[in-house]
Amino acid sequence: RARLPGAGIFRCSITGLGFDVNSAVTVTYRYDTWTGHLSKADQEMWVPAGPLFHIEVQPGVVRAVHLPHFICLAEDVNTSLCSIAHFESGKMTLERPTRLIAFSAVLENPSFSLLGVLWRKIRSTLNSLPMHSLVLIFQQLHAARTTLHLYLIPDDNSVKQAIEKQEIKWNSKLIPKPPPFRPLFFGCIYRVTSTKAAEITPEEQLPFCYKSPKEQQLFVEIYIANVEEGTGLLITDTRDGIEVWRASLRSVKIDILKNVHVPASTTVPGAAFLKKHKTALCLRMSQLSTILLHLRDANVINSDEEEEVQSQNTSKKMNRVLLELVKKKGLEAQDQLYQILQVVNPYLIEDLE
């Protein structure tokens, strides 16, 4: 829920969803899933090009909505194939966007329920539609020391957040890495390799496709027996062998991610981090609703405690109350919050460390 204070254009930093409003208004929005609404026939004709949103807002206040998409417009693409799907009473209607910009499809004078960006499939161009994409790498903390999960997904925050939530349940930590340095293409196969000896299962080849946030996303598991300085991971296009992504795994970063059981009398890295950087975290910790969701899922806090945090009237106070609450829960709870921050606020953690 966002309380927009007056006329202007506002963008959600978590979802990328934007609103151009003519007066103060409250908007409520959440992710939905394409698979629950697109019929099989529709799925043969259309491919999702961004998240699907359920939006509620007072009629007549929103001049335009900016719906995020992951199509790379820097390439020569046929923008006439883009439509905005509007689901109401179980039926889908399609509207042409008013304009298409780098990361959003803009629709003026919209009506709201379920909205999202679709791209019409044309067999001759299915493998030539360029996509912005993400590479997500998680380290499994309870598995062998350098067991990694690597995902290759379209730049869709609803999919990214679903993966993060699942990996937290598996007690994994995100290793932040940059996205591919060239567009990827649905329907194409990409090969994952390592510059050092590594076991990659089930196989090195990973298809690039769209899967609903509620579906299990495709990933490869990578086991590296000895991570050395400069160990590299690479992704190449199997059609032409061109490298589309490269990143290094440095031993110092892997060491930070070790999860070692320690007695209560010993300093826990997460607890030590929270104590050392409490002031900075009170000022700079963001995406609090996502953090609270993960803490609830991990049974660190309950609904009453979540409400206590959210009842504070500034983000600084909310952050302070949360940190004090988790501190009272003990070392394990503090380390759990630290792990969640590694996923939700990785660049803040890296900066403070």
Side-chain angles (χ1 to χ4, degrees), residues 17 34 38 46-53 65-71 73 79 81-87 92 94-95 97 99-101 103-107 114-120 156 210:
L17 187 62
W34 287 105
L38 281 178
W46 299 94
V47 61
L52 181 64
F53 292 95
V65 62
H66 295 236
L67 297 164
H69 69 77
F70 46 72
I71 305 301
L73 301 183
T79 57
L81 300 176
C82 177
S83 289
I84 294 177
H86 185 176
F87 296 93
M92 182 177 76
L94 297 171
E95 300 181 64
R99 61 186 182 279
L100 206 57
I101 56 180
F103 296 97
S104 299
V106 182
L107 181 64
L114 288 167
L115 289 176
V117 182
L118 289 176
W119 211 271
R120 189 175 182 86
D156 181 328
Y210 182 88

Side-chain angles (χ1 to χ4, degrees), residues 31 134-140 149-174 206 209 211-220 294 343-344:
Y31 288 126
L134 297 173
V135 176
L136 302 181
I137 301 178
F138 293 85
Q139 183 179 15
Q140 288 262 276
H149 290 171
L150 184 148
Y151 298 80
L152 188 57
I153 62 170
D155 189 0
D156 181 328
N157 276 338
S158 65
V159 175
K160 180 175 180 285
Q161 289 178 19
I163 292 172
E164 289 173 344
K165 185 176 180 179
Q166 178 63 69
E167 287 287 346
I168 283 179
K169 290 181 179 179
W170 291 343
N171 198 26
S172 303
K173 283 187 178 179
L174 176 68
L206 188 61
C209 61
K211 294 180 75 68
S212 166
K214 289 190 178 295
E215 296 180 274
Q216 174 60 58
Q217 303 295 318
L218 302 175
F219 66 89
V220 295
H294 288 318
V343 174
V344 177

Side-chain angles (χ1 to χ4, degrees), residues 32-44:
D32 211 305
T33 59
W34 287 105
T35 51
H37 301 280
L38 281 178
S39 67
K40 288 186 177 181
D42 290 333
Q43 292 177 44
E44 291 295 320

Side-chain angles (χ1 to χ4, degrees), residues 11 22 86 112 121 178 196 205 217 237 254 290:
R11 179 180 175 274
N22 55 33
H86 185 176
F112 292 104
K121 291 182 179 179
K196 302 293 182 181
Q205 295 188 351
Q217 303 295 318
D237 191 328
I254 295 299
T290 303

